[in-house]
Amino acid sequence: MKIIFLDNDGVICLQKNWGSRFKKQHAIDGWKDLPDWKRPTYDLFDNFDRKAIKTLNQIISDSDAEIVVSSDWRLKASIEDIGGYYLEQGIIKAPIDYTRVITEFDYPDNFPFYRSMLSEQNRSLEIKDWLSRNDVTHWVAIDDMDMRSNGRKWGLDNFVWTPNSLEGIKQTGKKQEILNYLL
Ligand SMILES: [Mg+2]
């Protein structure tokens, strides 16, 4: 099985999309009174960038990889609901799973813990945890947080960093960088 561990914000949901959920919420009568769990899923999340989705779809077609969501969006909706949202937004495959939430209390003994890198370290461990529980031949993690190994023990070897939140995954060269891990 080939896996893409996918972050959303800064990867396929880009800076100009941030906040687009509020427009959708305003379109619904009485939206202000609805708690998050009563809102339709499309209404909870910002739109994805059309060109970023096109890039992602090309990667999926070329590699036949599956998506596992590592983004914090996984805390807001079920995998079924987020799957529906992915399809509605034009992604050709719904994600098959979420990574499991890990906190600093779950860190292995003698873990090289840095408070300033807490989010990066957690997400990196969450991805390693998913890999340890599944049969994976090829994988890559994509994120706008820097989880490169670069000599850091907790970092990820198969990692593509998208530091430009205006460009995300559609930045020149990123598609090939990602495919190199999947083909
Ligand atoms: Mg992000």
Side-chain angles (χ1 to χ4, degrees):
M1 185 168 46
K2 297 178 176 185
I3 297 295
I4 300 166
F5 293 97
L6 189 64
D7 177 35
N8 289 336
D9 287 318
V11 178
I12 54 173
C13 180
L14 305 182
Q15 202 173 318
K16 72 174 167 54
N17 308 111
W18 295 348
S20 53
R21 65 186 181 280
F22 298 116
K23 274 189 193 146
K24 297 189 275 191
Q25 289 169 4
H26 280 281
I28 293 178
D29 279 346
W31 68 276
K32 271 187 191 158
D33 305 322
L34 289 178
D36 268 1
W37 61 272
K38 274 196 170 174
R39 293 180 191 281
T41 305
Y42 74 88
D43 187 28
L44 285 177
F45 298 122
D46 292 336
N47 292 322
F48 294 145
D49 179 90
R50 294 285 135 201
K51 280 189 184 160
I53 288 179
K54 200 172 159 204
T55 304
L56 178 63
N57 283 341
Q58 285 167 350
I59 292 165
I60 294 169
S61 299
D62 289 358
S63 64
D64 202 27
E66 305 294 339
I67 297 169
V68 171
V69 178
S70 56
S71 163
D72 284 343
W73 290 27
R74 71 200 198 282
L75 307 175
K76 292 201 122 198
S78 69
I79 188 72
E80 291 78 17
D81 284 351
I82 218 166
Y85 188 75
Y86 268 51
L87 298 174
E88 187 244 357
Q89 288 277 308
I91 297 176
I92 55 176
K93 268 188 186 180
I96 59 163
D97 203 2
Y98 287 156
T99 52
R100 199 156 62 178
V101 174
I102 284 182
T103 71
E104 59 205 275
F105 302 108
D106 306 314
Y107 284 0
D109 290 342
N110 302 318
F111 187 80
F113 168 77
Y114 303 104
R115 183 154 294 282
S116 63
M117 298 240 104
L118 191 60
S119 307
E120 289 87 343
Q121 290 187 317
N122 282 356
R123 197 166 287 181
S124 173
L125 283 171
E126 285 163 356
I127 287 167
K128 288 176 180 176
D129 166 68
W130 200 94
L131 287 167
S132 75
R133 292 183 287 110
N134 292 276
D135 192 14
V136 176
T137 55
H138 297 66
W139 65 276
V140 63
I142 313 168
D143 210 297
D144 61 335
M145 290 198 296
D146 183 3
M147 301 189 290
R148 293 174 295 177
S149 49
N150 268 0
R152 301 183 293 202
K153 261 190 191 160
W154 56 268
L156 297 171
D157 290 329
N158 299 8
F159 183 71
V160 173
W161 190 30
T162 62
N164 183 343
S165 59
L166 294 166
E167 287 287 314
I169 203 177
K170 69 184 168 81
Q171 189 182 336
T172 309
K174 293 297 168 190
K175 184 176 81 170
Q176 196 51 51
E177 217 183 306
I178 292 161
L179 280 171
N180 288 345
Y181 289 113
L182 296 174
L183 299 179

Coordinates of all heavy atoms in Angstrom, one line a residue, residues 79-148:
I79 N -14.2 10.5 9.7 CA -13.5 10.2 8.5 C -14.5 10.1 7.3 O -14.1 10.5 6.2 CB -12.6 8.9 8.6 CG1 -11.7 8.6 7.4 CG2 -13.5 7.7 8.9 CD1 -10.6 9.5 7.3
E80 N -15.7 9.6 7.6 CA -16.7 9.6 6.5 C -17.1 11.0 6.1 O -17.2 11.2 4.9 CB -18.0 8.8 7.0 CG -17.8 7.3 7.3 CD -17.1 7.0 8.6 OE1 -17.0 8.0 9.5 OE2 -16.6 5.9 8.8
D81 N -17.3 11.9 7.0 CA -17.7 13.2 6.7 C -16.6 14.0 5.9 O -16.8 14.7 5.0 CB -18.1 14.0 7.9 CG -19.5 13.6 8.4 OD1 -20.2 12.8 7.6 OD2 -19.9 14.0 9.5
I82 N -15.4 13.8 6.4 CA -14.3 14.5 5.7 C -14.0 13.9 4.4 O -13.7 14.6 3.4 CB -13.0 14.5 6.6 CG1 -12.3 15.9 6.5 CG2 -12.0 13.4 6.3 CD1 -11.3 16.2 7.5
G83 N -14.3 12.6 4.2 CA -14.2 11.9 2.9 C -15.2 12.6 1.9 O -14.9 12.9 0.8
G84 N -16.4 12.8 2.4 CA -17.4 13.4 1.6 C -17.0 14.8 1.2 O -17.2 15.3 0.0
Y85 N -16.3 15.5 2.1 CA -15.9 16.9 1.8 C -14.8 16.9 0.8 O -14.7 17.7 -0.1 CB -15.4 17.5 3.1 CG -15.1 19.0 2.9 CD1 -16.1 19.9 2.8 CD2 -13.8 19.4 2.9 CE1 -15.8 21.3 2.6 CE2 -13.5 20.8 2.7 CZ -14.5 21.7 2.5 OH -14.2 23.0 2.4
Y86 N -13.8 15.9 0.9 CA -12.8 15.8 -0.1 C -13.3 15.6 -1.5 O -12.9 16.2 -2.5 CB -11.8 14.6 0.3 CG -10.6 15.0 1.1 CD1 -10.8 15.7 2.3 CD2 -9.4 14.5 0.8 CE1 -9.7 16.0 3.1 CE2 -8.3 14.8 1.6 CZ -8.4 15.5 2.7 OH -7.3 15.8 3.5
L87 N -14.3 14.7 -1.6 CA -14.9 14.4 -2.9 C -15.6 15.6 -3.5 O -15.5 16.0 -4.6 CB -15.8 13.2 -2.8 CG -15.1 11.9 -2.4 CD1 -16.1 10.8 -2.2 CD2 -14.0 11.4 -3.4
E88 N -16.4 16.3 -2.6 CA -17.1 17.4 -3.0 C -16.2 18.6 -3.5 O -16.6 19.3 -4.3 CB -18.0 17.9 -1.8 CG -19.0 19.0 -2.1 CD -18.7 20.3 -1.3 OE1 -17.8 20.3 -0.5 OE2 -19.4 21.2 -1.5
Q89 N -15.0 18.6 -2.9 CA -14.1 19.7 -3.2 C -13.2 19.3 -4.5 O -12.4 20.0 -4.9 CB -13.1 19.9 -2.0 CG -13.8 20.7 -0.9 CD -13.9 22.2 -1.2 OE1 -12.9 22.8 -1.4 NE2 -15.1 22.8 -1.1
G90 N -13.5 18.1 -5.0 CA -12.9 17.7 -6.3 C -11.7 16.8 -6.2 O -11.0 16.4 -7.2
I91 N -11.3 16.3 -5.0 CA -10.3 15.3 -4.8 C -10.8 13.9 -5.3 O -11.9 13.6 -4.9 CB -9.7 15.3 -3.4 CG1 -9.1 16.6 -3.0 CG2 -8.7 14.2 -3.2 CD1 -8.6 16.8 -1.6
I92 N -10.0 13.2 -6.1 CA -10.6 12.0 -6.7 C -10.6 10.8 -5.7 O -11.3 9.8 -6.1 CB -9.8 11.6 -8.0 CG1 -8.3 11.5 -7.7 CG2 -10.0 12.6 -9.1 CD1 -7.5 11.0 -8.9
K93 N -10.0 10.9 -4.6 CA -10.1 9.8 -3.6 C -10.4 10.3 -2.2 O -9.7 11.3 -1.8 CB -8.8 9.0 -3.5 CG -8.6 7.8 -4.4 CD -7.3 7.1 -4.1 CE -7.0 6.0 -5.0 NZ -5.8 5.2 -4.7
A94 N -11.3 9.7 -1.5 CA -11.5 10.1 -0.1 C -10.4 9.4 0.7 O -9.9 8.4 0.4 CB -12.9 9.5 0.3
P95 N -10.0 10.1 1.8 CA -9.0 9.5 2.6 C -9.4 8.2 3.3 O -10.6 8.0 3.5 CB -8.7 10.6 3.7 CG -9.9 11.5 3.7 CD -10.5 11.4 2.3
I96 N -8.5 7.3 3.5 CA -8.8 6.0 4.1 C -8.7 6.0 5.7 O -9.3 5.2 6.3 CB -7.9 4.9 3.6 CG1 -6.5 5.1 3.9 CG2 -8.2 4.6 2.1 CD1 -5.6 3.9 3.7
D97 N -8.0 7.0 6.2 CA -7.9 7.0 7.7 C -7.3 8.3 8.2 O -6.9 9.2 7.4 CB -6.9 5.9 8.1 CG -7.1 5.4 9.5 OD1 -7.9 5.9 10.2 OD2 -6.3 4.5 9.9
Y98 N -7.4 8.5 9.5 CA -6.7 9.6 10.2 C -5.5 9.0 10.9 O -5.5 7.8 11.3 CB -7.6 10.1 11.3 CG -8.8 10.9 10.8 CD1 -9.9 11.1 11.7 CD2 -8.8 11.6 9.6 CE1 -11.0 11.8 11.3 CE2 -9.8 12.4 9.3 CZ -11.0 12.5 10.1 OH -12.0 13.3 9.8
T99 N -4.5 9.8 11.1 CA -3.4 9.4 12.1 C -4.1 9.6 13.5 O -5.0 10.3 13.7 CB -2.2 10.3 12.0 OG1 -2.6 11.7 12.1 CG2 -1.4 10.1 10.7
R100 N -3.5 8.8 14.4 CA -4.0 8.8 15.8 C -3.4 9.9 16.6 O -2.2 10.2 16.4 CB -3.6 7.4 16.4 CG -4.4 7.0 17.6 CD -4.4 5.5 17.8 NE -3.0 4.9 18.0 CZ -2.8 3.6 18.2 NH1 -3.8 2.8 18.2 NH2 -1.6 3.2 18.3
V101 N -4.1 10.6 17.4 CA -3.6 11.7 18.2 C -2.6 11.2 19.2 O -2.9 10.3 20.0 CB -4.7 12.5 18.8 CG1 -4.2 13.6 19.7 CG2 -5.6 13.1 17.8
I102 N -1.4 11.8 19.2 CA -0.4 11.5 20.2 C -0.1 12.8 20.9 O 0.0 13.9 20.3 CB 0.9 11.0 19.5 CG1 0.6 9.5 19.1 CG2 2.1 11.1 20.4 CD1 1.8 8.8 18.5
T103 N 0.1 12.8 22.2 CA 0.5 14.0 23.0 C 1.8 13.7 23.6 O 2.4 12.6 23.6 CB -0.5 14.3 24.1 OG1 -0.4 13.3 25.1 CG2 -1.9 14.3 23.6
E104 N 2.4 14.7 24.3 CA 3.7 14.6 24.9 C 3.7 13.5 26.0 O 4.8 13.0 26.3 CB 4.2 16.0 25.4 CG 3.2 16.5 26.4 CD 3.3 18.1 26.5 OE1 4.2 18.6 27.2 OE2 2.5 18.7 25.9
F105 N 2.5 13.2 26.5 CA 2.4 12.2 27.5 C 2.7 10.8 27.0 O 3.0 9.8 27.7 CB 1.1 12.2 28.2 CG 0.8 13.6 28.8 CD1 -0.2 14.4 28.3 CD2 1.5 14.0 30.0 CE1 -0.4 15.6 28.8 CE2 1.3 15.2 30.5 CZ 0.3 16.1 29.9
D106 N 2.5 10.7 25.7 CA 2.8 9.4 25.0 C 4.2 9.2 24.5 O 4.5 8.2 23.8 CB 1.8 9.2 23.8 CG 0.3 9.4 24.2 OD1 0.0 8.8 25.3 OD2 -0.4 10.1 23.5
Y107 N 5.0 10.2 24.6 CA 6.4 10.2 24.1 C 7.1 9.0 24.6 O 7.0 8.6 25.8 CB 7.2 11.4 24.4 CG 6.8 12.6 23.6 CD1 5.7 12.6 22.6 CD2 7.4 13.9 23.7 CE1 5.4 13.7 21.9 CE2 7.1 15.0 23.0 CZ 6.0 14.9 22.1 OH 5.7 16.0 21.4
P108 N 7.9 8.3 23.7 CA 8.8 7.3 24.2 C 9.8 7.8 25.3 O 10.1 9.0 25.3 CB 9.5 6.8 23.0 CG 8.9 7.5 21.8 CD 8.1 8.6 22.3
D109 N 10.3 6.9 26.1 CA 11.3 7.3 27.1 C 12.5 7.9 26.3 O 12.9 7.5 25.2 CB 11.8 6.1 27.9 CG 10.7 5.6 28.8 OD1 9.8 6.4 29.1 OD2 10.8 4.4 29.3
N110 N 13.2 8.9 27.0 CA 14.4 9.5 26.4 C 14.1 10.2 25.1 O 15.0 10.3 24.3 CB 15.5 8.5 26.2 CG 15.9 7.8 27.6 OD1 15.9 8.5 28.6 ND2 16.1 6.5 27.5
F111 N 12.9 10.6 24.8 CA 12.6 11.3 23.6 C 13.2 12.7 23.6 O 13.1 13.4 24.6 CB 11.0 11.4 23.4 CG 10.6 11.9 22.1 CD1 10.6 11.1 21.0 CD2 10.3 13.3 21.9 CE1 10.2 11.6 19.7 CE2 10.0 13.8 20.7 CZ 9.9 13.0 19.6
P112 N 13.9 13.0 22.5 CA 14.5 14.4 22.4 C 13.5 15.5 22.3 O 13.3 15.9 21.2 CB 15.4 14.3 21.2 CG 14.8 13.2 20.3 CD 14.0 12.3 21.2
F113 N 12.9 15.9 23.4 CA 11.8 16.8 23.4 C 12.2 18.2 23.3 O 13.0 18.7 24.1 CB 10.9 16.5 24.6 CG 9.9 17.4 25.0 CD1 8.7 17.4 24.3 CD2 10.1 18.4 26.0 CE1 7.7 18.4 24.6 CE2 9.1 19.3 26.3 CZ 7.9 19.3 25.6
Y114 N 11.6 19.0 22.4 CA 11.9 20.4 22.3 C 10.5 21.1 22.4 O 9.7 20.9 21.5 CB 12.6 20.8 21.0 CG 13.9 20.1 20.8 CD1 14.0 19.1 19.9 CD2 15.0 20.5 21.6 CE1 15.2 18.4 19.7 CE2 16.2 19.8 21.4 CZ 16.3 18.8 20.5 OH 17.4 18.1 20.3
R115 N 10.3 21.9 23.4 CA 9.0 22.6 23.5 C 8.6 23.4 22.3 O 7.5 23.5 21.8 CB 8.9 23.4 24.8 CG 7.6 24.1 25.0 CD 7.3 24.4 26.4 NE 7.1 23.2 27.3 CZ 6.1 22.4 27.3 NH1 5.0 22.7 26.6 NH2 6.0 21.4 28.2
S116 N 9.6 24.1 21.7 CA 9.4 24.9 20.5 C 9.0 24.1 19.3 O 8.5 24.7 18.3 CB 10.6 25.8 20.2 OG 11.7 24.9 19.9
M117 N 9.2 22.8 19.3 CA 8.9 22.0 18.2 C 7.7 21.0 18.5 O 7.6 19.9 17.9 CB 10.1 21.2 17.7 CG 11.3 22.1 17.3 SD 11.7 21.7 15.6 CE 11.0 23.1 14.7
L118 N 6.9 21.3 19.5 CA 5.9 20.4 20.0 C 5.0 19.9 18.9 O 4.8 18.7 18.7 CB 5.1 21.1 21.1 CG 4.2 20.3 21.9 CD1 5.0 19.2 22.7 CD2 3.5 21.2 22.9
S119 N 4.4 20.8 18.1 CA 3.5 20.4 17.1 C 4.1 19.5 16.0 O 3.6 18.5 15.6 CB 2.9 21.6 16.4 OG 2.4 22.5 17.3
E120 N 5.3 19.9 15.6 CA 6.1 19.1 14.6 C 6.4 17.7 15.1 O 6.2 16.7 14.4 CB 7.4 19.8 14.2 CG 7.2 21.1 13.4 CD 7.0 22.4 14.3 OE1 6.7 22.2 15.5 OE2 7.2 23.5 13.8
Q121 N 6.8 17.7 16.4 CA 7.2 16.4 16.9 C 6.0 15.5 17.1 O 6.0 14.3 16.8 CB 7.9 16.6 18.3 CG 9.3 17.2 18.1 CD 10.0 17.3 19.4 OE1 9.5 17.6 20.5 NE2 11.3 16.9 19.4
N122 N 4.9 16.1 17.6 CA 3.7 15.3 17.7 C 3.2 14.7 16.4 O 3.0 13.5 16.3 CB 2.5 16.1 18.3 CG 2.6 16.4 19.8 OD1 3.5 15.8 20.4 ND2 1.7 17.2 20.3
R123 N 3.2 15.5 15.4 CA 2.7 15.0 14.1 C 3.6 14.0 13.5 O 3.2 13.0 12.9 CB 2.5 16.2 13.1 CG 1.6 15.8 12.0 CD 1.1 17.0 11.2 NE 0.1 17.8 11.9 CZ -0.5 18.8 11.4 NH1 -0.2 19.3 10.2 NH2 -1.4 19.5 12.1
S124 N 4.9 14.2 13.7 CA 5.9 13.2 13.2 C 5.7 11.9 13.9 O 5.7 10.8 13.3 CB 7.3 13.8 13.5 OG 8.2 12.9 13.2
L125 N 5.5 11.9 15.2 CA 5.2 10.6 16.0 C 3.9 10.0 15.5 O 3.8 8.8 15.5 CB 5.2 10.9 17.5 CG 6.6 11.1 18.1 CD1 6.4 11.6 19.6 CD2 7.4 9.8 18.1
E126 N 2.9 10.8 15.2 CA 1.6 10.3 14.8 C 1.7 9.5 13.5 O 1.1 8.5 13.3 CB 0.6 11.4 14.7 CG 0.1 12.0 16.0 CD -0.5 13.3 16.0 OE1 -0.6 14.0 14.9 OE2 -1.0 13.8 17.1
I127 N 2.6 10.1 12.6 CA 2.8 9.4 11.3 C 3.6 8.1 11.5 O 3.2 7.1 10.9 CB 3.5 10.4 10.4 CG1 2.5 11.5 9.9 CG2 4.1 9.7 9.2 CD1 3.1 12.7 9.2
K128 N 4.6 8.2 12.3 CA 5.4 6.9 12.6 C 4.5 5.9 13.3 O 4.6 4.7 13.0 CB 6.6 7.3 13.5 CG 7.7 8.0 12.7 CD 8.8 8.4 13.6 CE 9.9 9.2 12.8 NZ 11.0 9.7 13.6
D129 N 3.6 6.3 14.1 CA 2.7 5.4 14.8 C 1.8 4.7 13.7 O 1.6 3.5 13.8 CB 1.8 6.2 15.8 CG 0.6 5.4 16.3 OD1 0.8 4.4 17.0 OD2 -0.5 5.8 15.9
W130 N 1.3 5.5 12.8 CA 0.4 4.9 11.8 C 1.2 3.9 10.9 O 0.7 2.8 10.6 CB -0.2 6.0 10.9 CG -1.4 5.5 10.1 CD1 -2.7 5.7 10.5 CD2 -1.5 4.8 8.9 NE1 -3.6 5.1 9.6 CE2 -2.9 4.6 8.6 CE3 -0.5 4.3 8.0 CZ2 -3.3 3.9 7.4 CZ3 -0.9 3.7 6.8 CH2 -2.3 3.4 6.6
L131 N 2.4 4.2 10.6 CA 3.3 3.4 9.8 C 3.5 2.0 10.5 O 3.6 1.0 9.9 CB 4.6 4.1 9.5 CG 4.5 5.2 8.4 CD1 5.8 6.0 8.4 CD2 4.3 4.6 7.0
S132 N 3.7 2.1 11.8 CA 4.0 0.9 12.6 C 2.8 0.0 12.7 O 3.0 -1.2 13.0 CB 4.5 1.3 14.0 OG 3.3 1.7 14.8
R133 N 1.6 0.5 12.4 CA 0.4 -0.4 12.5 C -0.1 -0.8 11.2 O -1.1 -1.5 11.1 CB -0.7 0.4 13.3 CG -0.4 0.7 14.7 CD -1.5 1.4 15.5 NE -1.6 2.8 15.1 CZ -2.6 3.3 14.4 NH1 -3.6 2.5 14.0 NH2 -2.7 4.6 14.1
N134 N 0.5 -0.4 10.1 CA 0.0 -0.8 8.8 C 1.1 -1.2 7.8 O 2.3 -0.9 8.0 CB -0.7 0.5 8.2 CG -2.0 0.9 8.9 OD1 -3.0 0.3 8.7 ND2 -1.8 1.8 9.9
D135 N 0.7 -1.9 6.8 CA 1.6 -2.5 5.9 C 1.8 -1.5 4.7 O 0.9 -1.4 3.8 CB 1.0 -3.8 5.3 CG 2.0 -4.6 4.6 OD1 3.2 -4.3 4.7 OD2 1.6 -5.6 3.9
V136 N 2.9 -0.8 4.7 CA 3.1 0.3 3.8 C 4.4 0.0 3.0 O 5.4 -0.3 3.6 CB 3.2 1.6 4.5 CG1 3.5 2.7 3.5 CG2 1.9 1.9 5.3
T137 N 4.3 0.1 1.6 CA 5.5 -0.1 0.8 C 6.2 1.2 0.5 O 7.4 1.4 0.5 CB 5.1 -0.8 -0.5 OG1 4.1 -0.1 -1.2 CG2 4.7 -2.2 -0.3
H138 N 5.3 2.2 0.2 CA 5.8 3.6 -0.2 C 5.0 4.6 0.6 O 3.8 4.5 0.7 CB 5.6 3.9 -1.7 CG 6.4 2.9 -2.6 ND1 6.1 1.6 -2.7 CD2 7.4 3.2 -3.5 CE1 6.9 1.1 -3.6 NE2 7.7 2.0 -4.1
W139 N 5.7 5.6 1.0 CA 4.9 6.7 1.7 C 5.7 8.0 1.6 O 6.9 8.1 1.4 CB 4.7 6.3 3.2 CG 5.9 6.2 4.0 CD1 6.7 5.2 4.2 CD2 6.5 7.3 4.9 NE1 7.8 5.5 5.0 CE2 7.6 6.7 5.5 CE3 6.1 8.6 5.2 CZ2 8.4 7.5 6.4 CZ3 6.9 9.3 6.1 CH2 8.0 8.8 6.6
V140 N 4.9 9.1 1.8 CA 5.4 10.4 1.9 C 4.5 11.2 2.8 O 3.3 11.0 2.8 CB 5.6 11.1 0.5 CG1 4.2 11.2 -0.2 CG2 6.3 12.4 0.6
A141 N 5.1 12.1 3.6 CA 4.3 13.1 4.4 C 4.5 14.4 3.8 O 5.6 14.8 3.5 CB 4.8 13.0 5.9
I142 N 3.4 15.2 3.7 CA 3.5 16.5 3.1 C 2.9 17.5 4.2 O 1.8 17.3 4.7 CB 2.6 16.7 1.8 CG1 2.9 15.5 0.9 CG2 2.9 18.0 1.2 CD1 1.9 15.4 -0.3
D143 N 3.7 18.6 4.5 CA 3.2 19.5 5.5 C 3.9 20.8 5.3 O 5.0 20.9 4.8 CB 3.6 18.9 6.9 CG 2.6 19.3 8.0 OD1 2.5 20.6 8.2 OD2 1.9 18.5 8.5
D144 N 3.2 21.9 5.8 CA 3.9 23.2 5.8 C 4.7 23.4 7.1 O 5.4 24.4 7.3 CB 2.9 24.3 5.6 CG 1.8 24.4 6.6 OD1 1.5 23.4 7.3 OD2 1.3 25.5 6.8
M145 N 4.5 22.5 8.1 CA 5.4 22.5 9.3 C 6.7 21.7 8.9 O 6.6 20.8 8.1 CB 4.8 21.8 10.5 CG 3.6 22.6 11.1 SD 3.2 22.0 12.7 CE 2.7 20.4 12.5
D146 N 7.8 22.2 9.4 CA 9.1 21.6 9.0 C 9.3 20.3 9.9 O 9.7 20.4 11.0 CB 10.2 22.6 9.2 CG 11.5 22.0 8.8 OD1 11.6 20.9 8.3 OD2 12.5 22.7 9.0
M147 N 9.1 19.2 9.3 CA 9.3 17.9 10.0 C 10.4 17.1 9.3 O 10.4 15.9 9.4 CB 8.0 17.1 10.0 CG 6.9 17.8 10.8 SD 5.4 16.9 11.1 CE 4.8 16.6 9.5
R148 N 11.3 17.8 8.5 CA 12.4 17.1 7.9 C 13.3 16.5 8.9 O 13.4 17.0 10.1 CB 13.2 18.1 7.1 CG 12.4 18.7 5.9 CD 13.2 19.8 5.2 NE 13.4 20.9 6.1 CZ 14.1 22.0 5.8 NH1 14.8 22.1 4.6 NH2 14.3 23.0 6.6

